[in-house]
mmCIF file of all heavy atoms in Angstrom:
data_model
loop_
_atom_site.group_PDB
_atom_site.id
_atom_site.type_symbol
_atom_site.label_atom_id
_atom_site.label_comp_id
_atom_site.label_asym_id
_atom_site.label_seq_id
_atom_site.Cartn_x
_atom_site.Cartn_y
_atom_site.Cartn_z
ATOM 1 N N TYR A 1260 -22.281 27.079 10.408
ATOM 2 C CA TYR A 1260 -22.148 25.863 9.604
ATOM 3 C C TYR A 1260 -21.043 24.933 10.104
ATOM 4 O O TYR A 1260 -20.759 23.910 9.487
ATOM 5 C CB TYR A 1260 -21.943 26.227 8.132
ATOM 6 C CG TYR A 1260 -23.228 26.699 7.487
ATOM 7 C CD1 TYR A 1260 -23.615 28.038 7.545
ATOM 8 C CD2 TYR A 1260 -24.075 25.801 6.864
ATOM 9 C CE1 TYR A 1260 -24.810 28.462 6.982
ATOM 10 C CE2 TYR A 1260 -25.271 26.216 6.295
ATOM 11 C CZ TYR A 1260 -25.633 27.551 6.364
ATOM 12 O OH TYR A 1260 -26.830 27.966 5.814
ATOM 13 N N ALA A 1261 -20.433 25.245 11.230
ATOM 14 C CA ALA A 1261 -19.331 24.430 11.765
ATOM 15 C C ALA A 1261 -19.764 22.999 12.075
ATOM 16 O O ALA A 1261 -18.997 22.057 11.837
ATOM 17 C CB ALA A 1261 -18.746 25.081 13.017
ATOM 18 N N ASP A 1262 -20.962 22.798 12.606
ATOM 19 C CA ASP A 1262 -21.435 21.441 12.916
ATOM 20 C C ASP A 1262 -21.511 20.586 11.655
ATOM 21 O O ASP A 1262 -21.172 19.405 11.684
ATOM 22 C CB ASP A 1262 -22.811 21.474 13.584
ATOM 23 C CG ASP A 1262 -22.787 22.070 14.976
ATOM 24 O OD1 ASP A 1262 -21.685 22.243 15.536
ATOM 25 O OD2 ASP A 1262 -23.875 22.368 15.499
ATOM 26 N N HIS A 1263 -21.957 21.177 10.558
ATOM 27 C CA HIS A 1263 -22.032 20.438 9.301
ATOM 28 C C HIS A 1263 -20.631 20.055 8.828
ATOM 29 O O HIS A 1263 -20.407 18.921 8.405
ATOM 30 C CB HIS A 1263 -22.726 21.273 8.219
ATOM 31 C CG HIS A 1263 -24.157 21.553 8.525
ATOM 32 N ND1 HIS A 1263 -25.119 20.574 8.568
ATOM 33 C CD2 HIS A 1263 -24.802 22.715 8.800
ATOM 34 C CE1 HIS A 1263 -26.288 21.108 8.851
ATOM 35 N NE2 HIS A 1263 -26.129 22.400 9.003
ATOM 36 N N ALA A 1264 -19.708 21.000 8.893
ATOM 37 C CA ALA A 1264 -18.327 20.732 8.463
ATOM 38 C C ALA A 1264 -17.709 19.633 9.329
ATOM 39 O O ALA A 1264 -17.049 18.730 8.820
ATOM 40 C CB ALA A 1264 -17.497 22.005 8.527
ATOM 41 N N ALA A 1265 -17.950 19.693 10.643
ATOM 42 C CA ALA A 1265 -17.395 18.691 11.555
ATOM 43 C C ALA A 1265 -17.952 17.300 11.261
ATOM 44 O O ALA A 1265 -17.276 16.295 11.492
ATOM 45 C CB ALA A 1265 -17.678 19.080 13.003
ATOM 46 N N ALA A 1266 -19.173 17.245 10.729
ATOM 47 C CA ALA A 1266 -19.792 15.963 10.390
ATOM 48 C C ALA A 1266 -19.384 15.480 8.997
ATOM 49 O O ALA A 1266 -19.883 14.453 8.532
ATOM 50 C CB ALA A 1266 -21.314 16.082 10.478
ATOM 51 N N GLY A 1267 -18.500 16.237 8.345
ATOM 52 C CA GLY A 1267 -18.017 15.833 7.031
ATOM 53 C C GLY A 1267 -18.868 16.296 5.867
ATOM 54 O O GLY A 1267 -18.631 15.903 4.729
ATOM 55 N N ARG A 1268 -19.864 17.129 6.139
ATOM 56 C CA ARG A 1268 -20.690 17.666 5.062
ATOM 57 C C ARG A 1268 -19.991 18.884 4.472
ATOM 58 O O ARG A 1268 -19.452 19.697 5.199
ATOM 59 C CB ARG A 1268 -22.065 18.054 5.582
ATOM 60 C CG ARG A 1268 -22.853 16.876 6.081
ATOM 61 C CD ARG A 1268 -24.235 17.304 6.567
ATOM 62 N NE ARG A 1268 -24.714 16.345 7.524
ATOM 63 C CZ ARG A 1268 -24.763 16.541 8.840
ATOM 64 N NH1 ARG A 1268 -24.379 17.681 9.359
ATOM 65 N NH2 ARG A 1268 -25.199 15.595 9.635
ATOM 66 N N VAL A 1269 -20.029 19.007 3.175
ATOM 67 C CA VAL A 1269 -19.350 20.111 2.502
ATOM 68 C C VAL A 1269 -20.326 21.271 2.337
ATOM 69 O O VAL A 1269 -21.232 21.206 1.509
ATOM 70 C CB VAL A 1269 -18.787 19.673 1.139
ATOM 71 C CG1 VAL A 1269 -18.103 20.832 0.444
ATOM 72 C CG2 VAL A 1269 -17.835 18.506 1.312
ATOM 73 N N PHE A 1270 -20.164 22.283 3.145
ATOM 74 C CA PHE A 1270 -20.928 23.518 3.045
ATOM 75 C C PHE A 1270 -19.926 24.642 2.889
ATOM 76 O O PHE A 1270 -19.160 24.928 3.811
ATOM 77 C CB PHE A 1270 -21.780 23.751 4.302
ATOM 78 C CG PHE A 1270 -23.059 22.969 4.325
ATOM 79 C CD1 PHE A 1270 -23.087 21.691 4.840
ATOM 80 C CD2 PHE A 1270 -24.229 23.511 3.817
ATOM 81 C CE1 PHE A 1270 -24.263 20.956 4.866
ATOM 82 C CE2 PHE A 1270 -25.407 22.792 3.832
ATOM 83 C CZ PHE A 1270 -25.425 21.510 4.356
ATOM 84 N N PHE A 1271 -19.930 25.276 1.718
ATOM 85 C CA PHE A 1271 -18.982 26.343 1.444
ATOM 86 C C PHE A 1271 -19.054 27.436 2.503
ATOM 87 O O PHE A 1271 -18.044 28.048 2.854
ATOM 88 C CB PHE A 1271 -19.231 26.911 0.045
ATOM 89 C CG PHE A 1271 -18.190 27.880 -0.411
ATOM 90 C CD1 PHE A 1271 -16.874 27.479 -0.580
ATOM 91 C CD2 PHE A 1271 -18.519 29.194 -0.677
ATOM 92 C CE1 PHE A 1271 -15.897 28.379 -1.012
ATOM 93 C CE2 PHE A 1271 -17.560 30.097 -1.105
ATOM 94 C CZ PHE A 1271 -16.242 29.692 -1.271
ATOM 95 N N ALA A 1272 -20.246 27.674 3.055
ATOM 96 C CA ALA A 1272 -20.406 28.718 4.074
ATOM 97 C C ALA A 1272 -19.540 28.467 5.303
ATOM 98 O O ALA A 1272 -19.216 29.397 6.033
ATOM 99 C CB ALA A 1272 -21.870 28.822 4.491
ATOM 100 N N SER A 1273 -19.130 27.226 5.530
ATOM 101 C CA SER A 1273 -18.325 26.924 6.714
ATOM 102 C C SER A 1273 -16.871 27.362 6.566
ATOM 103 O O SER A 1273 -16.136 27.390 7.549
ATOM 104 C CB SER A 1273 -18.384 25.431 7.043
ATOM 105 O OG SER A 1273 -17.734 24.674 6.046
ATOM 106 N N TYR A 1274 -16.461 27.697 5.342
ATOM 107 C CA TYR A 1274 -15.062 28.113 5.157
ATOM 108 C C TYR A 1274 -14.882 29.231 4.121
ATOM 109 O O TYR A 1274 -13.762 29.580 3.777
ATOM 110 C CB TYR A 1274 -14.192 26.910 4.777
ATOM 111 C CG TYR A 1274 -14.568 26.233 3.483
ATOM 112 C CD1 TYR A 1274 -13.994 26.630 2.283
ATOM 113 C CD2 TYR A 1274 -15.485 25.189 3.477
ATOM 114 C CE1 TYR A 1274 -14.340 26.001 1.096
ATOM 115 C CE2 TYR A 1274 -15.825 24.560 2.302
ATOM 116 C CZ TYR A 1274 -15.252 24.968 1.103
ATOM 117 O OH TYR A 1274 -15.598 24.345 -0.065
ATOM 118 N N GLN A 1275 -15.969 29.844 3.642
ATOM 119 C CA GLN A 1275 -15.835 30.882 2.619
ATOM 120 C C GLN A 1275 -15.072 32.084 3.145
ATOM 121 O O GLN A 1275 -15.018 32.337 4.348
ATOM 122 C CB GLN A 1275 -17.188 31.291 2.069
ATOM 123 C CG GLN A 1275 -18.029 32.141 3.006
ATOM 124 C CD GLN A 1275 -19.406 32.404 2.426
ATOM 125 O OE1 GLN A 1275 -20.074 31.501 1.941
ATOM 126 N NE2 GLN A 1275 -19.834 33.649 2.476
ATOM 127 N N SER A 1276 -14.497 32.839 2.230
ATOM 128 C CA SER A 1276 -13.704 34.023 2.576
ATOM 129 C C SER A 1276 -14.594 35.254 2.704
ATOM 130 O O SER A 1276 -15.705 35.291 2.166
ATOM 131 C CB SER A 1276 -12.668 34.287 1.484
ATOM 132 O OG SER A 1276 -13.327 34.720 0.298
ATOM 133 N N PRO A 1277 -14.116 36.283 3.410
ATOM 134 C CA PRO A 1277 -14.858 37.550 3.460
ATOM 135 C C PRO A 1277 -15.085 38.135 2.061
ATOM 136 O O PRO A 1277 -16.124 38.728 1.802
ATOM 137 C CB PRO A 1277 -13.974 38.458 4.310
ATOM 138 C CG PRO A 1277 -13.227 37.513 5.187
ATOM 139 C CD PRO A 1277 -12.974 36.310 4.324
ATOM 140 N N ARG A 1278 -14.132 37.928 1.166
ATOM 141 C CA ARG A 1278 -14.291 38.424 -0.211
ATOM 142 C C ARG A 1278 -15.490 37.758 -0.887
ATOM 143 O O ARG A 1278 -16.276 38.407 -1.574
ATOM 144 C CB ARG A 1278 -13.013 38.155 -0.996
ATOM 145 C CG ARG A 1278 -13.078 38.625 -2.411
ATOM 146 C CD ARG A 1278 -11.748 38.408 -3.111
ATOM 147 N NE ARG A 1278 -11.871 38.742 -4.503
ATOM 148 C CZ ARG A 1278 -11.213 38.157 -5.466
ATOM 149 N NH1 ARG A 1278 -10.346 37.203 -5.186
ATOM 150 N NH2 ARG A 1278 -11.376 38.514 -6.712
ATOM 151 N N TYR A 1279 -15.642 36.452 -0.687
ATOM 152 C CA TYR A 1279 -16.780 35.755 -1.280
ATOM 153 C C TYR A 1279 -18.085 36.182 -0.605
ATOM 154 O O TYR A 1279 -19.114 36.307 -1.277
ATOM 155 C CB TYR A 1279 -16.608 34.238 -1.211
ATOM 156 C CG TYR A 1279 -17.658 33.533 -2.018
ATOM 157 C CD1 TYR A 1279 -17.579 33.497 -3.408
ATOM 158 C CD2 TYR A 1279 -18.756 32.938 -1.411
ATOM 159 C CE1 TYR A 1279 -18.564 32.882 -4.165
ATOM 160 C CE2 TYR A 1279 -19.735 32.319 -2.156
ATOM 161 C CZ TYR A 1279 -19.639 32.292 -3.534
ATOM 162 O OH TYR A 1279 -20.613 31.690 -4.279
ATOM 163 N N THR A 1280 -18.058 36.420 0.689
ATOM 164 C CA THR A 1280 -19.249 36.925 1.374
ATOM 165 C C THR A 1280 -19.689 38.233 0.738
ATOM 166 O O THR A 1280 -20.872 38.430 0.453
ATOM 167 C CB THR A 1280 -18.974 37.124 2.878
ATOM 168 O OG1 THR A 1280 -18.582 35.873 3.449
ATOM 169 C CG2 THR A 1280 -20.200 37.651 3.603
ATOM 170 N N ARG A 1281 -18.754 39.134 0.492
ATOM 171 C CA ARG A 1281 -19.074 40.419 -0.152
ATOM 172 C C ARG A 1281 -19.692 40.170 -1.526
ATOM 173 O O ARG A 1281 -20.693 40.789 -1.892
ATOM 174 C CB ARG A 1281 -17.833 41.290 -0.290
ATOM 175 C CG ARG A 1281 -18.101 42.630 -0.953
ATOM 176 C CD ARG A 1281 -16.854 43.488 -1.103
ATOM 177 N NE ARG A 1281 -16.117 43.660 0.121
ATOM 178 C CZ ARG A 1281 -16.438 44.473 1.125
ATOM 179 N NH1 ARG A 1281 -17.529 45.199 1.040
ATOM 180 N NH2 ARG A 1281 -15.680 44.556 2.197
ATOM 181 N N HIS A 1282 -19.109 39.263 -2.292
ATOM 182 C CA HIS A 1282 -19.638 38.945 -3.618
ATOM 183 C C HIS A 1282 -21.084 38.464 -3.530
ATOM 184 O O HIS A 1282 -21.954 38.926 -4.264
ATOM 185 C CB HIS A 1282 -18.756 37.887 -4.285
ATOM 186 C CG HIS A 1282 -19.384 37.265 -5.492
ATOM 187 N ND1 HIS A 1282 -19.507 37.929 -6.694
ATOM 188 C CD2 HIS A 1282 -19.941 36.045 -5.670
ATOM 189 C CE1 HIS A 1282 -20.122 37.138 -7.563
ATOM 190 N NE2 HIS A 1282 -20.388 35.987 -6.968
ATOM 191 N N ARG A 1283 -21.354 37.518 -2.637
ATOM 192 C CA ARG A 1283 -22.711 36.983 -2.505
ATOM 193 C C ARG A 1283 -23.700 38.055 -2.067
ATOM 194 O O ARG A 1283 -24.815 38.118 -2.578
ATOM 195 C CB ARG A 1283 -22.747 35.818 -1.508
ATOM 196 C CG ARG A 1283 -22.031 34.568 -1.961
ATOM 197 C CD ARG A 1283 -22.693 33.939 -3.139
ATOM 198 N NE ARG A 1283 -23.998 33.420 -2.774
ATOM 199 C CZ ARG A 1283 -24.633 32.469 -3.399
ATOM 200 N NH1 ARG A 1283 -24.095 31.900 -4.442
ATOM 201 N NH2 ARG A 1283 -25.815 32.060 -3.001
ATOM 202 N N LEU A 1284 -23.297 38.886 -1.126
ATOM 203 C CA LEU A 1284 -24.205 39.923 -0.636
ATOM 204 C C LEU A 1284 -24.452 41.002 -1.681
ATOM 205 O O LEU A 1284 -25.478 41.679 -1.633
ATOM 206 C CB LEU A 1284 -23.673 40.527 0.659
ATOM 207 C CG LEU A 1284 -23.636 39.570 1.852
ATOM 208 C CD1 LEU A 1284 -23.101 40.283 3.083
ATOM 209 C CD2 LEU A 1284 -25.011 38.975 2.130
ATOM 210 N N SER A 1285 -23.555 41.151 -2.640
ATOM 211 C CA SER A 1285 -23.747 42.157 -3.685
ATOM 212 C C SER A 1285 -24.820 41.731 -4.690
ATOM 213 O O SER A 1285 -25.258 42.546 -5.498
ATOM 214 C CB SER A 1285 -22.424 42.413 -4.420
ATOM 215 O OG SER A 1285 -22.096 41.323 -5.260
ATOM 216 N N ARG A 1286 -25.272 40.492 -4.608
ATOM 217 C CA ARG A 1286 -26.241 39.966 -5.562
ATOM 218 C C ARG A 1286 -27.681 40.112 -5.091
ATOM 219 O O ARG A 1286 -28.595 39.627 -5.748
ATOM 220 C CB ARG A 1286 -25.935 38.500 -5.833
ATOM 221 C CG ARG A 1286 -24.536 38.331 -6.428
ATOM 222 C CD ARG A 1286 -24.164 36.923 -6.648
ATOM 223 N NE ARG A 1286 -25.041 36.359 -7.684
ATOM 224 C CZ ARG A 1286 -25.190 35.072 -7.868
ATOM 225 N NH1 ARG A 1286 -24.573 34.209 -7.105
ATOM 226 N NH2 ARG A 1286 -25.975 34.625 -8.828
ATOM 227 N N GLY A 1287 -27.900 40.781 -3.978
ATOM 228 C CA GLY A 1287 -29.260 40.957 -3.474
ATOM 229 C C GLY A 1287 -29.246 41.819 -2.235
ATOM 230 O O GLY A 1287 -28.469 42.760 -2.121
ATOM 231 N N GLU A 1288 -30.087 41.479 -1.297
ATOM 232 C CA GLU A 1288 -30.171 42.170 -0.010
ATOM 233 C C GLU A 1288 -29.906 41.159 1.089
ATOM 234 O O GLU A 1288 -30.039 39.964 0.883
ATOM 235 C CB GLU A 1288 -31.558 42.777 0.187
ATOM 236 C CG GLU A 1288 -31.918 43.808 -0.854
ATOM 237 C CD GLU A 1288 -33.332 44.342 -0.653
ATOM 238 O OE1 GLU A 1288 -33.993 43.986 0.347
ATOM 239 O OE2 GLU A 1288 -33.779 45.098 -1.517
ATOM 240 N N CYS A 1289 -29.568 41.650 2.263
ATOM 241 C CA CYS A 1289 -29.326 40.755 3.382
ATOM 242 C C CYS A 1289 -30.145 41.204 4.584
ATOM 243 O O CYS A 1289 -30.055 42.358 5.006
ATOM 244 C CB CYS A 1289 -27.839 40.737 3.733
ATOM 245 S SG CYS A 1289 -27.441 39.515 5.004
ATOM 246 N N ARG A 1290 -30.952 40.312 5.098
ATOM 247 C CA ARG A 1290 -31.704 40.566 6.333
ATOM 248 C C ARG A 1290 -30.806 40.128 7.484
ATOM 249 O O ARG A 1290 -30.125 39.101 7.390
ATOM 250 C CB ARG A 1290 -33.005 39.782 6.376
ATOM 251 C CG ARG A 1290 -33.879 39.945 5.146
ATOM 252 C CD ARG A 1290 -34.401 41.365 5.021
ATOM 253 N NE ARG A 1290 -35.412 41.434 3.981
ATOM 254 C CZ ARG A 1290 -35.295 42.124 2.869
ATOM 255 N NH1 ARG A 1290 -34.188 42.779 2.621
ATOM 256 N NH2 ARG A 1290 -36.267 42.159 1.982
ATOM 257 N N VAL A 1291 -30.801 40.895 8.563
ATOM 258 C CA VAL A 1291 -29.946 40.560 9.697
ATOM 259 C C VAL A 1291 -30.758 40.533 10.984
ATOM 260 O O VAL A 1291 -31.786 41.191 11.103
ATOM 261 C CB VAL A 1291 -28.761 41.546 9.857
ATOM 262 C CG1 VAL A 1291 -27.868 41.525 8.627
ATOM 263 C CG2 VAL A 1291 -29.241 42.947 10.152
#
């Protein structure tokens, strides 16, 4: 999401913390 952030678009994924990543992933499953 760095390109979006560099263009001034606000995407939380471009700066979220590992703690928040864990929280989001705990709400379902993750395909990799």
Side-chain angles (χ1 to χ4, degrees):
Y1260 285 87
D1262 292 347
H1263 295 293
R1268 296 181 205 105
V1269 179
F1270 280 88
F1271 188 63
S1273 68
Y1274 62 91
Q1275 74 185 47
S1276 69
R1278 180 176 174 212
Y1279 189 76
T1280 301
R1281 180 181 308 283
H1282 166 74
R1283 292 294 293 204
L1284 294 180
S1285 73
R1286 299 177 66 198
E1288 299 178 5
C1289 186
R1290 308 294 190 244
V1291 299

